[in-house]
Amino acid sequence: MKRLLITLVVLVTAPALAQNTVTSIKSTEIGPGIHVLQGADGFAGGNIILLTGGEQIVLIDDGLGSVDQLVLDKTREMAGRDIDFIINTHVHGDHTGNNAAFAENGSIIITHDNIRRRLLEDSSPAGGPAGLPVITFAEEIKFYVNGNEAYVFHPGFAHTDGDAAILLKDANILLAGDVLFHALFPYIDFDNGGDVDGYIAAQKEMLAMIDDDTTVVPGHGDITDKAGMLADHEMLVEARRRVKAMVDKGMSGEEILAENPLADFDADFNWRFITTERMTETLVRYFSGS
């Protein structure tokens, strides 16, 4: 029940919040023709990345369906035309919510195999059947657009079972999707195949692919770099160690929560959707099998 509550808070409350507050989309340039789009005055979904240029227009994730017209208008304004390709980093509606709106304007949706499988069961996160992906991949796929090699890869079961991350090799930019929540406790969605150890392993894999000059864009949170990503990774590794040790001692979930083993992370990582308590609950459930 607690797991379901977290899912509902993230995927239902957030869209309602966006409907009430977001009136415009802001853009941050992180490289030539590469922009991060976010709600200027509220939550519009996960970080959206727009790749523009003379060849193809590519969008990485597309935000909440409740802000579809804002995102459509912003991308058209910046790119000068409609989007050619959309890559979804996972199945959640704050990253896939405008799939149908863009597909109706000719965009081709690309995802991991497991995202299409899940959206075939329930297409509502993608705005309905029109938002289903038409190209999928199991392990990796590459795009060569606007002077960049975009290496799209599946880092394993982490945030969900259908995660994708993108390394823009020529621009030295990593687009991590929700396998990174920067300076925030991460949401690991067990109901959609997420896995704590897989999440840590995926971050370790991505850290090995980048250098100190790499720009890192998380699924949620501010744009960062390798040092920032490493701090997030080390927090989760330590949080996992602490909670596992307490579970291995036979402590109950209630006893562990009362001990508040992640208290020293609260100031830097606690946030509205995944509080320190909920992060602790996530780890307790993972190691206790409850």
Side-chain angles (χ1 to χ4, degrees), residues 61-83:
D61 291 331
D62 52 37
L64 292 164
S66 57
V67 295
D68 56 350
Q69 197 59 51
L70 290 175
V71 178
L72 283 164
D73 289 347
K74 185 66 174 180
T75 55
R76 282 172 175 160
E77 170 195 332
M78 297 183 65
R81 60 183 177 85
D82 288 323
I83 303 298

Side-chain angles (χ1 to χ4, degrees), residues 17-259:
L17 179 64
Q19 285 179 318
N20 291 333
T21 62
V22 178
T23 62
S24 63
I25 302 295
K26 66 180 181 179
S27 169
T28 303
E29 186 173 27
I30 58 173
I34 305 169
H35 294 80
V36 178
L37 308 183
Q38 301 165 312
D41 52 359
F43 183 73
N47 289 328
I48 300 168
I49 297 87
L50 176 65
L51 310 181
T52 63
E55 299 171 359
Q56 305 290 336
I57 309 300
V58 180
L59 202 63
I60 315 298
D61 291 331
D62 52 37
L64 292 164
S66 57
V67 295
D68 56 350
Q69 197 59 51
L70 290 175
V71 178
L72 283 164
D73 289 347
K74 185 66 174 180
T75 55
R76 282 172 175 160
E77 170 195 332
M78 297 183 65
R81 60 183 177 85
D82 288 323
I83 303 298
D84 295 303
F85 296 99
I86 292 176
I87 303 168
N88 294 146
T89 60
H90 61 284
V91 75
H92 292 153
D94 60 328
H95 294 256
T96 64
N98 289 311
N99 277 14
F102 278 103
E104 288 166 0
N105 287 283
S107 301
I108 297 171
I109 313 296
I110 301 163
T111 72
H112 185 267
D113 293 341
N114 287 337
I115 297 182
R116 180 174 170 84
R117 177 176 61 81
R118 291 191 178 277
L119 290 176
L120 282 170
E121 297 172 356
D122 177 12
S123 63
S124 60
L132 288 171
V134 297
I135 297 175
T136 67
F137 64 94
E139 297 298 333
E140 62 182 44
I141 189 170
K142 292 180 181 179
F143 290 79
Y144 297 90
V145 295
N146 307 325
N148 269 295
E149 177 186 320
Y151 172 56
V152 184
F153 61 98
H154 173 54
F157 291 12
H159 175 61
T160 69
D161 61 7
D163 295 320
I166 300 95
L167 182 65
L168 302 177
K169 291 188 175 181
D170 299 283
N172 198 15
I173 295 172
L174 174 66
L175 311 174
D178 278 11
V179 185
L180 181 65
F181 286 66
H182 177 52
L184 303 165
F185 284 125
Y187 172 46
I188 302 175
D189 184 0
F190 298 141
D191 289 335
N192 280 301
D195 185 272
V196 172
D197 286 341
Y199 199 101
I200 290 171
Q203 289 187 331
K204 186 175 181 179
E205 175 188 353
M206 289 190 289
L207 283 163
M209 298 170 68
I210 63 177
D211 59 40
D212 291 342
D213 295 322
T214 304
T215 298
V216 179
V217 182
H220 296 272
D222 294 333
I223 299 163
T224 187
D225 55 15
K226 184 173 184 177
M229 183 177 182
L230 182 60
D232 298 322
H233 174 72
E234 290 176 341
M235 175 278 295
L236 185 57
V237 170
E238 177 60 16
R240 176 201 182 281
R241 184 196 67 77
R242 293 179 190 179
V243 173
K244 183 178 187 302
M246 299 173 88
V247 171
D248 288 347
K249 288 180 180 178
M251 295 177 67
S252 68
E254 290 75 13
E255 289 171 332
I256 293 172
L257 286 171
E259 289 286 333

